[in-house]
Amino acid sequence: LSICGKLCYAIGGAPNQVAGSAAAFFLQIYLLDIAHITPFHASLVLFIGKASGAVTDPVAGFFISKSRWTKIGRLMPWMLACTPFTVVSYFFMWYLPPFVSGRVAWYLTFYCLFQALTTLFQVPYSALTMFLSTDQKERDSATAYRMTMEVLGTLIGAALQGQIVASAHVSHHCTVNSPVNTTDSWHDTPSFPDPSDPLPHQAKVYMIAAGVIGGVYLLGIVTLFLGVKEKDDPYALNSDRAIPFCKGLGLTMKHGPYVKLTASFLLISTAVQLEQSNFVLFCTHAADLRNHFQYLVVTILVSAAVSIPFWQKFLQRFGKKCAACGVSWMIPFAVMLVTIPNLILAYFVAFISGLSIAASLLLPWSMLPDVVDNFRLQNPHGKGHETIFYSSYVFFTKMSAGIGLGISAAGLEFTGYKPGICRQSNDVILTLKILIGAVPAILILIGLFILLFYPITEESRKETKLALEVLR
């Protein structure tokens, strides 16, 4: 693979991360403080939206596995077709409608559409890794390029969104060093305008950010189409038949390495999602860092972006399972931030969290092709199973993240979160601390424990590679 080809492949997936990052960090606070819907309804939007994306994964995998080869490949037409609709749904997801009573239905509709359409892009895009090269090192290298660009996309999304919408979350009557809790906190004047205003400033800046990120989508898909050539299945014989989707799904669910890998990283990815979605709320309401949250988010993502090459070298030298230890680095520092909310410590925690997030992003996508190769060796006379692996993996991770986000938003409703006030109650602040510190730590530790039983080692990976070369 040429460097240019790897770069074009990597750039193609970045827009999904740009948009996903903006939504992960800002959608919850947008729904609560700009759209003025209740935390319970926000939890419904977040959970059902994630669930709709998750349900779309196996459906997309089914139809893509049935697709025929075209002049531009089997996967590329799906990515080209869904991108324009993704841009439209993303823009309306950040639009503040003039009516108030139907806003929950509005955001639920467009968030579900956006999640479903990004799935229709992500499943063929991630499976495309298997059709770039037959060499494991080349695929690992392409994955490293992809993850570096996706982390940069996450950085760009959070930075763009953070800088454009920062003014929407600055309140002139909330001082940085004001007491976190006072008995009259429920009588504060809301710091945001009435939601019945036609188009307040806060809504306008969110729409501007959505328009900019929509343009990034179009740039990414053009680069992917012009710079990447999809190859047909190199191991399949002319006589081989595609594995039926339901049969293939049953086989993947019985494949030990896949089950352990998926169980481990669905817990780890849920922990990362909880950190992302609650970080801005934590900085704003629980740590007196409301004027620094956009810079802290950028620090996290710069750290993640620059550390991807380090993790790629690390896993090549010490193995992929060993590199998983880096995911746990964020735990002690996140706990410190919760117990000692200090500005300097917050930036240090942001830097360490970036290192851990980079490892959690790179590892599953680097390990999944090894699992697919292992399955191929055990089922040599079937083809078309790649999209089944990738779609069901994303299904489980999205579903678990949706459940986690729904529970976290419902927790804020239960403890009495009030949008637009300077100081939240003690219960809300305690809930935010638990969601940032304790819950992610427990999920990561359980996920790493499951990963200890993942059976594919560096030695078995090399044996599989040699056996597949003989088969080829």
Tab-separated table of all heavy atoms in Angstrom, residues 155-209:
chain	number	residue	atom	x	y	z
A	155	LEU	N	-10.378	15.435	17.342
A	155	LEU	CA	-9.812	16.697	17.829
A	155	LEU	C	-10.408	17.884	17.076
A	155	LEU	O	-10.831	18.875	17.679
A	155	LEU	CB	-8.288	16.666	17.657
A	155	LEU	CG	-7.537	17.988	17.812
A	155	LEU	CD1	-7.718	18.525	19.218
A	155	LEU	CD2	-6.054	17.797	17.506
A	156	ILE	N	-10.449	17.772	15.745
A	156	ILE	CA	-10.987	18.868	14.939
A	156	ILE	C	-12.453	19.115	15.294
A	156	ILE	O	-12.895	20.256	15.445
A	156	ILE	CB	-10.828	18.547	13.435
A	156	ILE	CG1	-9.336	18.577	13.049
A	156	ILE	CG2	-11.608	19.543	12.571
A	156	ILE	CD1	-9.050	17.995	11.681
A	157	GLY	N	-13.224	18.013	15.436
A	157	GLY	CA	-14.631	18.173	15.765
A	157	GLY	C	-14.840	18.856	17.098
A	157	GLY	O	-15.634	19.806	17.210
A	158	ALA	N	-14.112	18.396	18.121
A	158	ALA	CA	-14.268	18.990	19.447
A	158	ALA	C	-13.750	20.431	19.476
A	158	ALA	O	-14.347	21.301	20.112
A	158	ALA	CB	-13.535	18.147	20.482
A	159	ALA	N	-12.613	20.668	18.764
A	159	ALA	CA	-12.041	22.021	18.759
A	159	ALA	C	-12.953	22.991	18.014
A	159	ALA	O	-13.232	24.101	18.486
A	159	ALA	CB	-10.652	21.993	18.137
A	160	LEU	N	-13.406	22.581	16.815
A	160	LEU	CA	-14.315	23.439	16.043
A	160	LEU	C	-15.575	23.742	16.845
A	160	LEU	O	-15.961	24.900	17.025
A	160	LEU	CB	-14.702	22.735	14.739
A	160	LEU	CG	-13.809	22.939	13.515
A	160	LEU	CD1	-14.311	22.093	12.355
A	160	LEU	CD2	-13.758	24.402	13.111
A	161	GLN	N	-16.198	22.669	17.311
A	161	GLN	CA	-17.445	22.836	18.058
A	161	GLN	C	-17.204	23.651	19.321
A	161	GLN	O	-17.973	24.564	19.641
A	161	GLN	CB	-18.007	21.456	18.404
A	161	GLN	CG	-19.386	21.470	18.997
A	161	GLN	CD	-20.477	21.403	17.943
A	161	GLN	OE1	-20.172	21.395	16.756
A	161	GLN	NE2	-21.726	21.363	18.362
A	162	GLY	N	-16.114	23.331	20.044
A	162	GLY	CA	-15.831	24.022	21.296
A	162	GLY	C	-15.589	25.507	21.108
A	162	GLY	O	-16.102	26.338	21.872
A	163	GLN	N	-14.806	25.860	20.071
A	163	GLN	CA	-14.491	27.271	19.852
A	163	GLN	C	-15.700	28.039	19.332
A	163	GLN	O	-15.928	29.186	19.706
A	163	GLN	CB	-13.323	27.402	18.865
A	163	GLN	CG	-11.999	26.870	19.392
A	163	GLN	CD	-11.561	27.561	20.681
A	163	GLN	OE1	-11.680	28.774	20.825
A	163	GLN	NE2	-11.054	26.781	21.628
A	164	ILE	N	-16.483	27.402	18.444
A	164	ILE	CA	-17.624	28.104	17.855
A	164	ILE	C	-18.742	28.307	18.878
A	164	ILE	O	-19.375	29.363	18.932
A	164	ILE	CB	-18.152	27.342	16.615
A	164	ILE	CG1	-17.094	27.360	15.500
A	164	ILE	CG2	-19.448	27.971	16.099
A	164	ILE	CD1	-17.446	26.502	14.293
A	165	VAL	N	-18.986	27.268	19.712
A	165	VAL	CA	-20.137	27.343	20.622
A	165	VAL	C	-19.766	27.769	22.032
A	165	VAL	O	-20.631	27.813	22.902
A	165	VAL	CB	-20.891	25.989	20.681
A	165	VAL	CG1	-21.216	25.491	19.291
A	165	VAL	CG2	-20.112	24.935	21.464
A	166	ALA	N	-18.482	28.093	22.279
A	166	ALA	CA	-18.065	28.439	23.648
A	166	ALA	C	-18.877	29.590	24.208
A	166	ALA	O	-19.254	29.597	25.392
A	166	ALA	CB	-16.579	28.779	23.669
A	167	SER	N	-19.197	30.568	23.354
A	167	SER	CA	-19.942	31.740	23.833
A	167	SER	C	-21.354	31.374	24.275
A	167	SER	O	-21.991	32.124	25.024
A	167	SER	CB	-20.006	32.798	22.733
A	167	SER	OG	-20.666	32.284	21.583
A	168	ALA	N	-21.859	30.225	23.822
A	168	ALA	CA	-23.207	29.822	24.213
A	168	ALA	C	-23.265	29.337	25.658
A	168	ALA	O	-24.343	29.241	26.234
A	168	ALA	CB	-23.708	28.707	23.281
A	169	HIS	N	-22.102	29.037	26.240
A	169	HIS	CA	-22.085	28.474	27.594
A	169	HIS	C	-21.346	29.361	28.589
A	169	HIS	O	-20.974	28.910	29.658
A	169	HIS	CB	-21.457	27.080	27.567
A	169	HIS	CG	-22.218	26.121	26.710
A	169	HIS	ND1	-23.433	25.585	27.073
A	169	HIS	CD2	-21.950	25.616	25.471
A	169	HIS	CE1	-23.871	24.789	26.119
A	169	HIS	NE2	-23.001	24.793	25.138
A	170	VAL	N	-21.112	30.628	28.203
A	170	VAL	CA	-20.477	31.580	29.121
A	170	VAL	C	-21.574	32.470	29.695
A	170	VAL	O	-22.291	33.142	28.957
A	170	VAL	CB	-19.412	32.428	28.401
A	170	VAL	CG1	-18.904	33.527	29.329
A	170	VAL	CG2	-18.262	31.549	27.952
A	171	SER	N	-21.698	32.437	30.986
A	171	SER	CA	-22.716	33.254	31.647
A	171	SER	C	-22.039	34.425	32.353
A	171	SER	O	-21.087	34.245	33.094
A	171	SER	CB	-23.489	32.406	32.658
A	171	SER	OG	-24.335	33.232	33.406
A	172	HIS	N	-22.531	35.615	32.085
A	172	HIS	CA	-21.899	36.805	32.671
A	172	HIS	C	-22.186	36.956	34.163
A	172	HIS	O	-21.481	37.659	34.865
A	172	HIS	CB	-22.367	38.059	31.919
A	172	HIS	CG	-21.972	38.052	30.479
A	172	HIS	ND1	-20.660	38.094	30.072
A	172	HIS	CD2	-22.720	37.967	29.351
A	172	HIS	CE1	-20.607	38.065	28.743
A	172	HIS	NE2	-21.839	37.980	28.285
A	173	HIS	N	-23.244	36.304	34.647
A	173	HIS	CA	-23.551	36.465	36.072
A	173	HIS	C	-23.069	35.280	36.893
A	173	HIS	O	-23.303	35.224	38.085
A	173	HIS	CB	-25.055	36.695	36.269
A	173	HIS	CG	-25.875	35.444	36.160
A	173	HIS	ND1	-26.267	34.916	34.958
A	173	HIS	CD2	-26.392	34.623	37.113
A	173	HIS	CE1	-27.005	33.830	35.157
A	173	HIS	NE2	-27.087	33.622	36.468
A	174	CYS	N	-22.382	34.308	36.251
A	174	CYS	CA	-21.776	33.191	36.985
A	174	CYS	C	-20.282	33.432	37.071
A	174	CYS	O	-19.602	33.443	36.053
A	174	CYS	CB	-22.021	31.863	36.268
A	174	CYS	SG	-23.742	31.339	36.256
A	175	THR	N	-19.766	33.650	38.270
A	175	THR	CA	-18.333	33.876	38.425
A	175	THR	C	-17.612	32.560	38.578
A	175	THR	O	-18.154	31.593	39.086
A	175	THR	CB	-18.054	34.761	39.661
A	175	THR	OG1	-18.605	34.115	40.796
A	175	THR	CG2	-18.682	36.139	39.493
A	176	VAL	N	-16.344	32.535	38.144
A	176	VAL	CA	-15.583	31.293	38.141
A	176	VAL	C	-15.410	30.749	39.540
A	176	VAL	O	-15.490	29.552	39.776
A	176	VAL	CB	-14.197	31.522	37.493
A	176	VAL	CG1	-13.353	30.265	37.566
A	176	VAL	CG2	-14.356	31.965	36.056
A	177	ASN	N	-15.190	31.621	40.504
A	177	ASN	CA	-14.892	31.158	41.854
A	177	ASN	C	-16.099	31.239	42.786
A	177	ASN	O	-15.947	31.273	43.996
A	177	ASN	CB	-13.740	31.995	42.444
A	177	ASN	CG	-12.451	31.779	41.681
A	177	ASN	OD1	-12.130	30.650	41.320
A	177	ASN	ND2	-11.727	32.860	41.418
A	178	SER	N	-17.282	31.301	42.200
A	178	SER	CA	-18.463	31.342	43.057
A	178	SER	C	-18.621	30.015	43.778
A	178	SER	O	-18.186	28.982	43.303
A	178	SER	CB	-19.714	31.614	42.212
A	178	SER	OG	-19.890	30.581	41.274
A	179	PRO	N	-19.228	30.031	44.968
A	179	PRO	CA	-19.385	28.776	45.697
A	179	PRO	C	-20.161	27.755	44.867
A	179	PRO	O	-21.122	28.098	44.180
A	179	PRO	CB	-20.160	29.179	46.949
A	179	PRO	CG	-20.483	30.619	46.837
A	179	PRO	CD	-19.825	31.176	45.636
A	180	VAL	N	-19.720	26.517	44.944
A	180	VAL	CA	-20.358	25.481	44.129
A	180	VAL	C	-21.769	25.219	44.611
A	180	VAL	O	-22.682	25.008	43.835
A	180	VAL	CB	-19.521	24.184	44.186
A	180	VAL	CG1	-20.221	23.060	43.427
A	180	VAL	CG2	-18.140	24.430	43.612
A	181	ASN	N	-21.966	25.234	45.895
A	181	ASN	CA	-23.282	24.914	46.452
A	181	ASN	C	-23.726	26.006	47.424
A	181	ASN	O	-22.999	26.385	48.326
A	181	ASN	CB	-23.244	23.585	47.209
A	181	ASN	CG	-22.893	22.449	46.296
A	181	ASN	OD1	-23.609	22.183	45.355
A	181	ASN	ND2	-21.781	21.785	46.584
A	182	THR	N	-24.890	26.495	47.216
A	182	THR	CA	-25.505	27.393	48.192
A	182	THR	C	-26.968	27.006	48.317
A	182	THR	O	-27.543	26.384	47.429
A	182	THR	CB	-25.400	28.878	47.746
A	182	THR	OG1	-26.057	28.994	46.480
A	182	THR	CG2	-23.969	29.335	47.627
A	183	THR	N	-27.569	27.419	49.406
A	183	THR	CA	-28.956	27.002	49.635
A	183	THR	C	-29.906	27.660	48.649
A	183	THR	O	-30.996	27.145	48.416
A	183	THR	CB	-29.372	27.370	51.069
A	183	THR	OG1	-29.135	28.764	51.271
A	183	THR	CG2	-28.565	26.572	52.073
A	184	ASP	N	-29.489	28.807	48.061
A	184	ASP	CA	-30.418	29.480	47.146
A	184	ASP	C	-30.110	29.161	45.694
A	184	ASP	O	-30.531	29.873	44.803
A	184	ASP	CB	-30.374	30.997	47.360
A	184	ASP	CG	-29.005	31.578	47.009
A	184	ASP	OD1	-28.039	30.799	46.916
A	184	ASP	OD2	-28.934	32.811	46.822
A	185	SER	N	-29.378	28.058	45.454
A	185	SER	CA	-28.979	27.757	44.077
A	185	SER	C	-30.186	27.515	43.178
A	185	SER	O	-30.116	27.713	41.979
A	185	SER	CB	-28.076	26.523	44.034
A	185	SER	OG	-28.767	25.389	44.507
A	186	TRP	N	-31.318	27.101	43.786
A	186	TRP	CA	-32.494	26.829	42.954
A	186	TRP	C	-33.201	28.118	42.551
A	186	TRP	O	-34.097	28.091	41.713
A	186	TRP	CB	-33.462	25.918	43.710
A	186	TRP	CG	-32.811	24.638	44.086
A	186	TRP	CD1	-32.437	24.230	45.326
A	186	TRP	CD2	-32.385	23.600	43.198
A	186	TRP	NE1	-31.829	23.003	45.268
A	186	TRP	CE2	-31.782	22.594	43.972
A	186	TRP	CE3	-32.461	23.423	41.816
A	186	TRP	CZ2	-31.263	21.433	43.434
A	186	TRP	CZ3	-31.948	22.267	41.265
A	186	TRP	CH2	-31.354	21.292	42.062
A	187	HIS	N	-32.783	29.241	43.127
A	187	HIS	CA	-33.456	30.504	42.809
A	187	HIS	C	-32.608	31.374	41.892
A	187	HIS	O	-32.915	32.534	41.692
A	187	HIS	CB	-33.765	31.262	44.107
A	187	HIS	CG	-34.561	30.433	45.068
A	187	HIS	ND1	-35.881	30.122	44.855
A	187	HIS	CD2	-34.219	29.837	46.248
A	187	HIS	CE1	-36.329	29.382	45.867
A	187	HIS	NE2	-35.337	29.189	46.711
A	188	ASP	N	-31.509	30.804	41.313
A	188	ASP	CA	-30.716	31.563	40.355
A	188	ASP	C	-31.560	31.926	39.140
A	188	ASP	O	-32.454	31.187	38.732
A	188	ASP	CB	-29.519	30.734	39.856
A	188	ASP	CG	-28.443	30.630	40.924
A	188	ASP	OD1	-28.418	31.500	41.794
A	188	ASP	OD2	-27.646	29.671	40.849
A	189	THR	N	-31.243	33.056	38.546
A	189	THR	CA	-31.858	33.398	37.271
A	189	THR	C	-31.209	32.550	36.182
A	189	THR	O	-29.990	32.505	36.104
A	189	THR	CB	-31.616	34.886	36.947
A	189	THR	OG1	-32.107	35.649	38.035
A	189	THR	CG2	-32.325	35.268	35.659
A	190	PRO	N	-31.980	31.870	35.363
A	190	PRO	CA	-31.351	31.058	34.316
A	190	PRO	C	-30.426	31.898	33.456
A	190	PRO	O	-30.745	33.020	33.077
A	190	PRO	CB	-32.546	30.532	33.505
A	190	PRO	CG	-33.695	30.563	34.476
A	190	PRO	CD	-33.435	31.740	35.359
A	191	SER	N	-29.265	31.335	33.149
A	191	SER	CA	-28.249	32.085	32.416
A	191	SER	C	-28.449	31.999	30.924
A	191	SER	O	-27.647	32.505	30.167
A	191	SER	CB	-26.860	31.552	32.771
A	191	SER	OG	-26.786	30.166	32.501
A	192	PHE	N	-29.522	31.334	30.467
A	192	PHE	CA	-29.749	31.180	29.041
A	192	PHE	C	-31.092	31.794	28.679
A	192	PHE	O	-32.019	31.820	29.484
A	192	PHE	CB	-29.720	29.694	28.647
A	192	PHE	CG	-28.428	29.047	29.018
A	192	PHE	CD1	-28.356	28.191	30.110
A	192	PHE	CD2	-27.274	29.331	28.319
A	192	PHE	CE1	-27.160	27.613	30.464
A	192	PHE	CE2	-26.082	28.752	28.668
A	192	PHE	CZ	-26.011	27.899	29.744
A	193	PRO	N	-31.230	32.265	27.444
A	193	PRO	CA	-32.458	32.939	27.059
A	193	PRO	C	-33.643	31.993	27.004
A	193	PRO	O	-33.485	30.791	26.965
A	193	PRO	CB	-32.144	33.482	25.659
A	193	PRO	CG	-31.022	32.640	25.159
A	193	PRO	CD	-30.251	32.229	26.355
A	194	ASP	N	-34.819	32.607	26.994
A	194	ASP	CA	-36.047	31.807	26.938
A	194	ASP	C	-36.069	30.978	25.659
A	194	ASP	O	-35.789	31.498	24.577
A	194	ASP	CB	-37.243	32.769	26.962
A	194	ASP	CG	-38.539	32.001	27.145
A	194	ASP	OD1	-38.961	31.335	26.184
A	194	ASP	OD2	-39.120	32.081	28.246
A	195	PRO	N	-36.429	29.692	25.747
A	195	PRO	CA	-36.408	28.854	24.563
A	195	PRO	C	-37.406	29.255	23.490
A	195	PRO	O	-37.345	28.770	22.376
A	195	PRO	CB	-36.736	27.456	25.113
A	195	PRO	CG	-37.406	27.694	26.419
A	195	PRO	CD	-36.830	28.953	26.951
A	196	SER	N	-38.363	30.130	23.829
A	196	SER	CA	-39.343	30.565	22.839
A	196	SER	C	-38.801	31.660	21.926
A	196	SER	O	-39.475	32.055	20.976
A	196	SER	CB	-40.614	31.043	23.548
A	196	SER	OG	-40.317	32.143	24.381
A	197	ASP	N	-37.609	32.202	22.193
A	197	ASP	CA	-37.008	33.180	21.297
A	197	ASP	C	-36.866	32.562	19.905
A	197	ASP	O	-36.552	31.383	19.785
A	197	ASP	CB	-35.628	33.616	21.803
A	197	ASP	CG	-35.746	34.454	23.070
A	197	ASP	OD1	-36.879	34.842	23.397
A	197	ASP	OD2	-34.718	34.687	23.719
A	198	PRO	N	-37.062	33.360	18.806
A	198	PRO	CA	-37.022	32.799	17.455
A	198	PRO	C	-35.725	32.045	17.169
A	198	PRO	O	-35.743	30.883	16.847
A	198	PRO	CB	-37.158	34.033	16.568
A	198	PRO	CG	-37.763	35.083	17.426
A	198	PRO	CD	-37.341	34.788	18.827
A	199	LEU	N	-34.605	32.715	17.277
A	199	LEU	CA	-33.306	32.061	17.104
A	199	LEU	C	-32.282	32.779	17.965
A	199	LEU	O	-31.623	33.712	17.518
A	199	LEU	CB	-32.871	32.085	15.628
A	199	LEU	CG	-33.022	30.780	14.839
A	199	LEU	CD1	-32.445	30.944	13.456
A	199	LEU	CD2	-32.374	29.604	15.539
A	200	PRO	N	-32.146	32.399	19.223
A	200	PRO	CA	-31.178	33.073	20.090
A	200	PRO	C	-29.752	32.815	19.629
A	200	PRO	O	-29.489	31.926	18.817
A	200	PRO	CB	-31.450	32.437	21.460
A	200	PRO	CG	-32.093	31.129	21.165
A	200	PRO	CD	-32.865	31.322	19.910
A	201	HIS	N	-28.841	33.599	20.183
A	201	HIS	CA	-27.430	33.488	19.793
A	201	HIS	C	-26.903	32.075	19.986
A	201	HIS	O	-26.167	31.549	19.146
A	201	HIS	CB	-26.613	34.483	20.627
A	201	HIS	CG	-25.136	34.265	20.541
A	201	HIS	ND1	-24.403	34.586	19.419
A	201	HIS	CD2	-24.257	33.728	21.438
A	201	HIS	CE1	-23.137	34.261	19.619
A	201	HIS	NE2	-23.020	33.749	20.833
A	202	GLN	N	-27.285	31.444	21.091
A	202	GLN	CA	-26.788	30.100	21.377
A	202	GLN	C	-27.154	29.118	20.264
A	202	GLN	O	-26.348	28.280	19.859
A	202	GLN	CB	-27.354	29.585	22.714
A	202	GLN	CG	-26.751	30.245	23.936
A	202	GLN	CD	-27.491	31.512	24.339
A	202	GLN	OE1	-28.210	32.098	23.527
A	202	GLN	NE2	-27.329	31.927	25.585
A	203	ALA	N	-28.382	29.207	19.760
A	203	ALA	CA	-28.818	28.306	18.693
A	203	ALA	C	-28.080	28.601	17.396
A	203	ALA	O	-27.718	27.683	16.642
A	203	ALA	CB	-30.325	28.435	18.490
A	204	LYS	N	-27.833	29.876	17.108
A	204	LYS	CA	-27.153	30.244	15.858
A	204	LYS	C	-25.740	29.682	15.807
A	204	LYS	O	-25.302	29.163	14.770
A	204	LYS	CB	-27.121	31.775	15.717
A	204	LYS	CG	-28.468	32.391	15.397
A	204	LYS	CD	-28.356	33.899	15.311
A	204	LYS	CE	-29.731	34.531	15.072
A	204	LYS	NZ	-29.663	36.007	15.086
A	205	VAL	N	-24.997	29.769	16.911
A	205	VAL	CA	-23.615	29.295	16.876
A	205	VAL	C	-23.561	27.774	16.715
A	205	VAL	O	-22.654	27.239	16.062
A	205	VAL	CB	-22.824	29.753	18.125
A	205	VAL	CG1	-22.669	31.258	18.133
A	205	VAL	CG2	-23.460	29.269	19.421
A	206	TYR	N	-24.537	27.071	17.276
A	206	TYR	CA	-24.578	25.622	17.084
A	206	TYR	C	-24.885	25.264	15.632
A	206	TYR	O	-24.345	24.295	15.089
A	206	TYR	CB	-25.612	24.990	18.027
A	206	TYR	CG	-25.027	24.563	19.349
A	206	TYR	CD1	-25.129	25.372	20.477
A	206	TYR	CD2	-24.349	23.357	19.485
A	206	TYR	CE1	-24.581	24.995	21.700
A	206	TYR	CE2	-23.800	22.967	20.702
A	206	TYR	CZ	-23.923	23.794	21.802
A	206	TYR	OH	-23.363	23.401	23.003
A	207	MET	N	-25.736	26.043	14.965
A	207	MET	CA	-26.044	25.788	13.554
A	207	MET	C	-24.839	26.089	12.664
A	207	MET	O	-24.583	25.374	11.695
A	207	MET	CB	-27.246	26.628	13.127
A	207	MET	CG	-28.565	26.130	13.699
A	207	MET	SD	-29.928	27.260	13.360
A	207	MET	CE	-29.910	27.279	11.579
A	208	ILE	N	-24.093	27.127	13.001
A	208	ILE	CA	-22.867	27.437	12.239
A	208	ILE	C	-21.888	26.275	12.342
A	208	ILE	O	-21.305	25.827	11.347
A	208	ILE	CB	-22.233	28.745	12.757
A	208	ILE	CG1	-23.116	29.945	12.410
A	208	ILE	CG2	-20.826	28.927	12.178
A	208	ILE	CD1	-22.702	31.229	13.094
A	209	ALA	N	-21.706	25.767	13.553
A	209	ALA	CA	-20.798	24.629	13.747
A	209	ALA	C	-21.261	23.408	12.956
A	209	ALA	O	-20.462	22.694	12.350
A	209	ALA	CB	-20.708	24.292	15.240
